[in-house]
Amino acid sequence: MSSVCSHLDYSHTPVLKKEVVHHLRIRPEGIYLDGTIGSGGHASAIQSRLSEEGILVGLDVDEEAIRHCRTAYSASSNCHLFNGSYDNFPQYLLSLGVEQVDGMLLDLGLSSHQIESPDRGFSHQIEGPLDMRFDVSSPLTAEEIMNRWDEDKLRDVIWKLGEERQAAGIARIIVKRRKLKPMTTTFDLRDAVLSVVIGRYARKSLSRVFQAFRIAVNGELDTLRDFLDRFVKHLRLEGRIVILSYHSLEDRLVKNKFKELAHGCVCPPDLPTCVCGREPCMKILTKRPITSSESEISRNRRARSVRMRAAERIA
Ligand SMILES: C[S@@+](CC[C@H](N)C(=O)[O-])C[C@H]1O[C@@H](n2cnc3c(N)ncnc32)[C@H](O)[C@@H]1O
């Protein structure tokens, strides 16, 4: 069977691969969904544990990632790939006649290939267009946001999604500079940030600001919320879900949803008895989020901010 990782020019080192595979507890004849297949690093580890009866369904909203995986997977009949967003996963499963799966994986954020591609505009270290879309057919780009959104909205994005303390100053300078010349490149944004934040914190601020705009462009928090509201009924009993996030807001959404599903009742705490009748349906497998070891981080910088959470369907 050909492996999804056989195309090395689209390389991406999967984060916490052993831990992901362990927590998914893969059954050889099971059905698994990788909602963010990227270059297929995790998917290939899952697929290598499946028998001929097992099925892997891979999604990615980036058509380049799917094209890469299609080539790498061409010889494999138990792998089904779709170019689409993971919050729409039920429709892709349905097209295969599948309603429930044994395991789901989301590895959020962006792949090494995406960040290193100048034309995608994700990196403050490489000059490129202010794009930042995972799905290049979607209408909203970072350039549109940078040149059209008002100062308050820009400040909110940088503050709320980037947790950047200099948000107000950065928003102000973006608006000032775009009056002279539209912001069109990653270096326009980088220079604007560096004119406000100086010294040893500048690099972190750049990462935070770029991450904030990327999350806004792709509506990443809304997509994750939608998925979290829908996934349970598509997991089989004893099926497992594993989510890797790289941003505190994403991790908080996952943590709170898992807690809610493991607790069941959603009645206000001051009600003497439960009136909602909801029972716990998930068991949390990771009391604390799993993070990468120093040695993994030294080999793969992307691993430094990961938080992995896993849960199992119990009812
Ligand atoms: C961190 S990478 C995944 C890497 C993958 N686990 C591997 O081992 O190669 C995240 C991927 O999620 C994709 N992505 C982002 N938002 C998505 C969405 N809403 N639906 C599907 N894929 C998405 C990105 O295009 C990117 O390829």
Side-chain angles (χ1 to χ4, degrees):
M1 182 186 296
S2 104
S3 146
V4 81
C5 266
S6 55
H7 245 224
L8 290 175
D9 58 333
Y10 198 95
S11 63
H12 169 93
T13 309
V15 174
L16 293 173
K17 183 163 90 173
K18 246 170 58 190
E19 291 79 358
V20 166
V21 167
H22 171 75
H23 281 83
L24 281 174
R25 198 181 47 190
I26 296 159
R27 295 192 309 113
E29 69 291 2
I31 306 178
Y32 291 85
L33 171 75
D34 183 339
T36 54
I37 196 165
S39 60
H42 289 113
S44 123
I46 295 170
Q47 196 205 20
S48 67
R49 285 159 178 82
L50 297 180
S51 68
E52 301 271 296
E53 285 72 43
I55 294 178
L56 174 68
V57 182
L59 311 179
D60 204 295
V61 80
D62 183 348
E63 65 175 8
E64 210 186 337
I66 291 296
R67 221 178 303 125
H68 155 77
C69 288
R70 280 219 172 98
T71 317
Y73 260 130
S74 55
S76 171
S77 60
N78 71 345
C79 171
H80 302 272
L81 298 167
F82 297 96
N83 178 205
S85 181
Y86 67 76
D87 57 331
N88 292 327
F89 75 95
Q91 85 185 48
Y92 300 111
L93 294 184
L94 201 65
S95 73
L96 300 169
V98 171
E99 206 180 318
Q100 291 188 314
V101 299
D102 297 276
M104 296 179 179
L105 169 66
L106 291 185
D107 179 17
L108 302 169
L110 73 175
S111 67
S112 309
H113 181 77
Q114 288 165 330
I115 198 152
E116 284 156 17
S117 301
D119 56 323
R120 306 299 295 269
F122 286 116
S123 170
H124 59 80
Q125 294 177 16
I126 307 171
E127 182 155 30
L130 271 173
D131 191 312
M132 301 196 191
R133 290 170 300 173
F134 286 132
D135 173 2
V136 293
S137 69
S138 78
L140 186 64
T141 63
E143 181 175 333
E144 175 85 7
I145 291 182
M146 222 67 65
N147 291 297
R148 296 198 187 269
W149 286 16
D150 67 29
E151 189 176 323
D152 289 352
K153 235 169 140 187
L154 291 173
R155 189 199 52 225
D156 278 2
V157 168
I158 303 168
W159 173 240
K160 290 186 183 151
L161 303 181
E163 296 170 325
E164 166 56 45
R165 285 159 63 174
Q166 306 266 27
I170 295 169
R172 201 174 313 123
I173 200 81
I174 290 173
V175 170
K176 196 169 157 196
R177 288 189 172 202
R178 77 186 188 195
K179 281 185 186 148
L180 303 173
K181 175 182 143 325
M183 309 270 294
T184 56
T185 73
T186 50
F187 280 7
D188 289 341
L189 178 58
R190 183 197 67 176
D191 293 346
V193 175
L194 291 182
S195 70
V196 177
V197 188
I198 39 175
R200 61 197 171 109
Y201 298 114
R203 202 185 151 90
K204 282 204 168 146
S205 293
L206 277 171
S207 300
R208 284 195 286 260
V209 171
F210 271 69
Q211 186 182 46
F213 283 114
R214 191 203 79 213
I215 292 173
V217 166
N218 295 291
E220 292 174 44
L221 297 180
D222 286 341
T223 305
L224 181 57
R225 273 191 209 99
D226 282 353
F227 172 86
L228 291 171
D229 284 342
R230 308 176 81 181
F231 81 89
V232 179
K233 72 174 187 180
H234 297 280
L235 252 190
R236 285 183 178 153
L237 206 58
E238 297 187 3
R240 291 183 164 194
I241 179 162
V242 174
I243 303 185
L244 278 63
S245 18
Y246 300 84
H247 188 288
S248 58
L249 295 177
E250 284 172 345
D251 181 53
R252 201 173 309 150
L253 289 178
V254 177
K255 179 175 85 175
N256 290 342
K257 180 54 80 174
F258 281 7
K259 260 191 181 167
E260 179 192 315
L261 297 169
H263 183 65
C265 172
V266 290
C267 293
D270 52 342
L271 274 193
T273 53
C274 168
V275 291
C276 76
R278 291 214 213 164
E279 297 287 335
C281 61
M282 299 292 294
K283 177 172 86 181
I284 295 173
L285 303 171
T286 46
K287 293 282 174 242
R288 287 162 179 273
I290 294 178
T291 55
S292 291
S293 64
E294 287 301 322
S295 96
E296 178 169 11
I297 295 169
S298 70
R299 281 177 278 116
N300 182 9
R301 263 182 63 77
R302 280 193 67 258
R304 69 193 184 285
S305 51
V306 72
R307 297 271 178 282
M308 182 187 121
R309 295 185 187 268
E312 178 177 322
R313 181 153 187 197
I314 54 165

